[in-house]
Amino acid sequence: MNDVLLMLVSILDSTIRVSTPLILCAMAGVFSERSGIVDIGLEGKMLAGAFAAAATAAVTGSAWLGLGCAIIVSVGMALLHGFACITHRGNQVVSGLAINILASGLTVTLGIAWFAQGGQTPQLSGDARFAALEFPGAAAVADVPVIGAIYSELLSGHNLLVYIALLAVPLTWWVIFRSRFGLRLRAVGENPQAVDTAGISVAWLRYRAVMCAGLLCGIAGTYLSTAQNAAFLKDMSAGKGYIALAALIFGKWHPKAALFACLLFGFLEALSVRLQGVQLPVIGEVPVQLMQALPYVLTVILLAGFIGKAIAPKAIGIPYNKER
Amino acid sequence: MSNRTLPAWIDIGLIPLINICLAFIVSAGVIMLIGESPLEAVQVMLFGAFGYGEGIGYTLYYATNFIFTGLAVAVAFHAGLFNIGGEGQAYLGGLGVGLICLMLDSWLPWWALLPFAIVAGALFGAAWAYIPAYLQAYRGSHIVITTIMFNFIASALMVYLLVNVLIEPGSMSPQTRSLAEGATLPYMYQVFAAFGIEIEQSPLNVSLILALLACVLVWLLIWHTRWGYAIRMIGFNEKAAVYSGINTRRTIVISMCISGALAAMVGINEVMGAQQRVLLEFVAGAGFTGIAVSLMGRNHPLGIIAASILFGALYQGGAELSFEISTITRDLVVVIQGLVILFCGALAYMLKPTLEKLFLRYTLSKAARRDNLAEEAQS
């Protein structure tokens, strides 16, 4: 009984670890896509953020400076995205794709030039990383059955960015659904003409939305390279941005639902690591690749309307042209 | 902004050219940022890509892949669809080519096997494009998202197949057995040797001819057939297409299947030609490069050939560059590729208003001068 509990707790524990960048990116996607800007560039912004964070932390020895730098770089890329598709009404998918490709090439090129370690940054340690936070009394209650394990393993012992990610969800919900900015942001994603007629600048609203997205992607990238890992590795985002995009759609562009989608996808990943090479009763061994592909398959099935309907913001992907 | 348009030569000639130049200027900035000389890099790249026989061979070998994926993106684009799934379609197409070759390679010589391989690859690639196309046309899910998802599903599927099913028994690396010798596509140097012309060895094989053939076929299809008309009409104005009696849903599915089949031809070049087996990640980003190629080539076969050669040269030159200058790797080519997509795609019309203004001022001042002259002549 206790063994089962411990295993469950440890799977849930790694679920939270794996889900953190997904949650941050999905919230970034909520901001951007609710304002009508398709954000395929989540992956690229996160990757660039991861590199900026690790590079800064390696040079300065401060994880906090790394976080700041990651946010600046990621917001910079978000502004580039905005410049292309808000100011110049370019194709948003093409722009996002360009950002992803650019980030994947640029991080490695600069990494090799600056650190000469095959595109990696030096190993980070000490203050250059975000360390685990121990909740008060976690060690003391660790031996208490059930509650002890849950408190000390599952809730305590993560780093700050994990808790920031979990806080980002209610915050995003509040901003999107309870603040004036959020009301306008949703309106600009559904009907930009109406917002424009009300005398509010569509472009400036959308710019602010993509900047929010950049900020969150920067934190996600920082988590990857300075908290989860101790260095930047080539292409370390490894499709997480796309999984977050899938989770965003799976969560129907809603923060709470997207959170659960992220946790589900994270759980699948954590489970697939655990199940590798294990013979299950009846089904036999589950291929790892099946578990990896499951988020994508589920999203495709959802988009096809077989499990509920995902309705995107109406004006998504359409550049706003005032003169029409 | 006025609705007055620019003359064609500015619109399809000058603007893309300026955009490409901008992409290269920023790339030069990146090279300077990492402390190398852009001029030296360009020299190394140009020599590596065109300076000697083997280099040219490699350039054209890479270009072959990009022609296929570029055409694939272009055909979908003409129907107003953005096919990001070229990577997955090429991957699955390669599986089709590989399977039929593995089945028949001990019995058939390459020239008899090739038609089967083309059909099998095209079927696999088209099937992989069919599902997103069907979902877009009949269930309203967005093709961009589904094709992205399908890239990842294809990748997972291929890893599973190569690790667990198709792996050569006793082998440690996830790849199939090599094809029988007579069943692989002849290299171009062998073809030339048969005519008594010596050229240097490279993986360039007869699929280049297939690629050029595909360009002609796509040109005929898009601009000289009923189907092509329907495809272009949907891309131009879907509502008008519906009212003129075109079955838009079926046409969307057909154009995506053609697109998938074209992307799958990468499998012919790689599986039956250069690698002679199915291995992991053999597409190596050609599907994404196809997007840049198609944007740069303005979705026209001739433009695509030119852009493919440019990207082939970048890939081959980039490889050379990483030999010559230790701080530069092939990732620089990825940067350039991203910049080309950014400037030729997303920022394509950044300069249009400015150029329009300049052009109008120029023509107006010319007209004014003419009027002045006319008045003077009258008085």
Side-chain angles (χ1 to χ4, degrees):
Chain A
M1 168 62 205
N2 222 9
D3 284 353
V4 176
L5 181 78
L6 271 181
M7 188 171 138
L8 193 69
V9 166
S10 94
I11 288 184
L12 290 179
D13 187 55
S14 46
T15 298
I16 291 181
R17 281 172 215 279
V18 175
S19 308
T20 299
L22 302 183
I23 295 170
L24 285 163
C25 278
M27 292 309 125
V30 169
F31 276 104
S32 179
E33 303 223 328
R34 279 276 180 173
S35 80
I37 304 288
V38 176
D39 204 352
I40 289 180
L42 293 172
E43 175 92 358
K45 279 181 279 190
M46 174 163 56
L47 190 66
F51 176 73
T56 314
V59 174
T60 62
S62 159
W64 286 100
L65 282 178
L67 177 65
C69 209
I71 289 174
I72 292 171
V73 167
S74 173
V75 169
M77 295 191 107
L79 287 175
L80 181 66
H81 187 54
F83 180 68
C85 34
I86 301 170
T87 305
H88 288 294
R89 302 191 204 109
N91 186 318
Q92 300 171 3
V93 175
V94 174
S95 165
L97 206 63
I99 282 171
N100 286 347
I101 294 175
L102 204 57
S104 126
L106 212 50
T107 50
V108 181
T109 307
L110 293 179
I112 289 171
W114 291 344
F115 300 106
Q117 293 183 4
Q120 299 184 12
T121 58
Q123 284 290 316
L124 306 170
S125 57
D127 284 344
R129 290 190 67 193
F130 280 98
L133 296 178
E134 288 297 329
F135 278 12
V141 298
D143 294 331
V144 180
V146 188
I147 303 166
I150 291 177
Y151 185 70
S152 67
E153 282 290 316
L154 190 58
L155 296 179
S156 160
H158 298 290
N159 59 69
L160 183 68
L161 298 180
V162 174
Y163 301 113
I164 289 183
L166 291 174
L167 276 180
V169 180
L171 192 68
T172 306
W173 176 83
W174 188 84
V175 170
I176 296 282
F177 292 103
R178 286 291 177 273
S179 75
R180 193 172 66 169
F181 168 61
L183 176 71
R184 291 174 172 177
L185 189 137
R186 279 180 291 140
V188 86
E190 297 289 340
N191 191 347
Q193 279 86 357
V195 175
D196 199 11
T197 313
I200 303 160
S201 163
V202 172
W204 172 229
L205 253 176
R206 286 189 165 171
Y207 264 112
R208 277 185 287 172
V210 295
M211 282 195 288
C212 290
L215 175 98
L216 288 161
C217 286
I219 304 176
T222 312
Y223 174 79
L224 283 186
S225 64
T226 66
Q228 199 175 27
N229 293 281
F232 173 83
L233 309 170
K234 182 182 175 172
D235 285 324
M236 75 185 306
S237 53
K240 284 193 179 62
Y242 292 108
I243 297 226
L245 189 69
L248 170 69
I249 298 163
F250 204 68
K252 302 177 183 179
W253 290 271
H254 197 287
K256 195 174 72 183
L259 167 72
F260 285 119
C262 290
L263 289 173
L264 171 70
F265 293 170
F267 178 73
L268 289 175
E269 198 180 326
L271 201 64
S272 76
V273 176
R274 197 52 62 103
L275 287 181
Q276 222 161 46
V278 177
Q279 289 288 336
L280 289 181
V282 191
I283 358 176
E285 193 184 325
V286 181
V288 199
Q289 292 82 15
L290 180 68
M291 304 287 266
Q292 282 167 350
L294 214 50
Y296 304 115
V297 176
L298 284 175
T299 308
V300 169
I301 294 174
L302 172 86
L303 278 174
F306 291 115
I307 36 170
K309 192 85 186 137
I311 299 165
K314 260 204 209 77
I316 201 165
I318 309 162
Y320 179 60
N321 191 346
K322 204 179 176 126
E323 284 139 25
R324 236 187 306 176
Chain B
M1 208 190 320
S2 67
N3 279 331
R4 222 183 297 192
T5 46
L6 295 164
W9 67 271
I10 292 186
D11 206 26
I12 61 173
L14 191 64
I15 290 182
L17 203 67
I18 296 176
N19 284 329
I20 294 167
C21 287
L22 281 175
F24 285 139
I25 289 169
V26 178
S27 311
V30 172
I31 297 175
M32 273 156 75
L33 192 67
I34 58 178
E36 301 295 337
S37 146
L39 279 178
E40 194 192 337
V42 168
Q43 270 175 358
V44 172
M45 275 185 149
L46 276 179
F47 180 77
F50 300 112
Y52 58 105
E54 195 190 344
I56 298 173
Y58 267 95
T59 297
L60 292 177
Y61 151 69
Y62 290 123
T64 309
N65 283 343
F66 302 150
I67 291 177
F68 286 133
T69 52
L71 287 176
V73 175
V75 168
F77 220 96
H78 278 294
L81 304 164
F82 194 39
N83 179 13
I84 305 192
E87 196 77 8
Q89 289 143 18
Y91 215 172
L92 262 286
L95 176 69
V97 173
L99 287 179
I100 201 96
C101 286
L102 289 170
M103 252 194 295
L104 302 174
D105 66 344
S106 48
W107 299 334
L108 293 176
W110 70 271
W111 48 267
L113 187 54
L114 185 59
F116 289 104
I118 291 175
V119 170
L123 279 178
F124 271 63
W128 203 248
Y130 173 80
I131 310 169
Y134 175 84
L135 293 178
Q136 153 102 17
Y138 293 91
R139 315 255 350 160
S141 44
H142 204 284
I143 201 130
V144 169
I145 304 293
T146 34
T147 47
I148 290 176
M149 303 294 146
F150 265 66
N151 281 343
F152 285 100
I153 300 172
S155 171
L157 178 68
M158 289 297 282
V159 172
Y160 174 75
L161 288 178
L162 284 171
V163 170
N164 298 307
V165 185
L166 295 170
I167 191 168
E168 183 180 10
S171 160
M172 289 304 287
S173 57
Q175 55 188 36
T176 64
R177 69 173 171 81
S178 293
L179 303 182
E181 209 154 290
T184 58
L185 292 180
Y187 290 113
M188 274 309 203
Y189 66 83
Q190 292 168 328
V191 176
F192 275 87
F195 292 104
I197 307 166
E198 287 273 330
I199 61 167
E200 281 178 70
Q201 297 197 2
S202 70
L204 181 65
N205 56 66
V206 291
S207 4
L208 177 64
I209 299 166
L210 191 68
L212 296 176
L213 206 64
C215 284
V216 178
L217 288 178
V218 166
W219 178 72
L220 284 175
L221 171 83
I222 296 289
W223 282 279
H224 293 276
T225 64
R226 223 174 244 264
W227 265 4
Y229 180 73
I231 287 174
R232 279 184 298 140
M233 188 145 183
I234 290 174
F236 193 68
N237 187 337
E238 193 169 339
K239 277 201 184 116
V242 173
Y243 283 112
S244 64
I246 289 168
N247 186 340
T248 50
R249 291 179 162 178
R250 206 181 59 195
T251 313
I252 282 174
V253 171
I254 289 173
S255 51
M256 270 305 279
C257 285
I258 295 170
S259 175
L262 282 165
M265 291 303 109
V266 169
I268 300 280
N269 188 25
E270 291 291 337
V271 174
M272 208 176 163
Q275 314 292 350
Q276 310 183 341
R277 66 179 77 105
V278 185
L279 37 79
L280 279 185
E281 306 293 339
F282 68 84
V283 185
F288 293 114
T289 311
I291 296 167
V293 164
S294 173
L295 287 171
M296 219 168 141
R298 283 290 180 108
N299 303 318
H300 191 282
L302 280 180
I304 285 170
I305 293 174
S308 296
I309 292 173
L310 182 90
F311 266 101
L314 277 176
Y315 267 68
Q316 163 59 13
E320 203 81 3
L321 203 58
S322 59
F323 277 124
E324 293 285 322
I325 304 175
S326 62
T327 50
I328 294 182
T329 56
R330 300 179 78 166
D331 298 289
L332 184 67
V333 179
V334 179
V335 177
I336 300 175
Q337 189 177 326
L339 288 169
V340 168
I341 293 181
L342 185 69
F343 281 103
C344 294
L347 291 170
Y349 295 106
M350 177 171 63
L351 295 165
K352 203 173 177 187
T354 322
L355 280 173
E356 232 158 17
K357 233 179 272 169
L358 280 176
F359 182 78
L360 279 179
R361 194 179 301 162
Y362 174 71
T363 44
L364 283 180
S365 68
K366 216 159 89 176
R369 220 176 306 140
R370 206 171 40 227
D371 288 350
N372 279 345
L373 282 177
E375 268 172 38
E376 275 169 29
Q378 270 177 357
S379 62

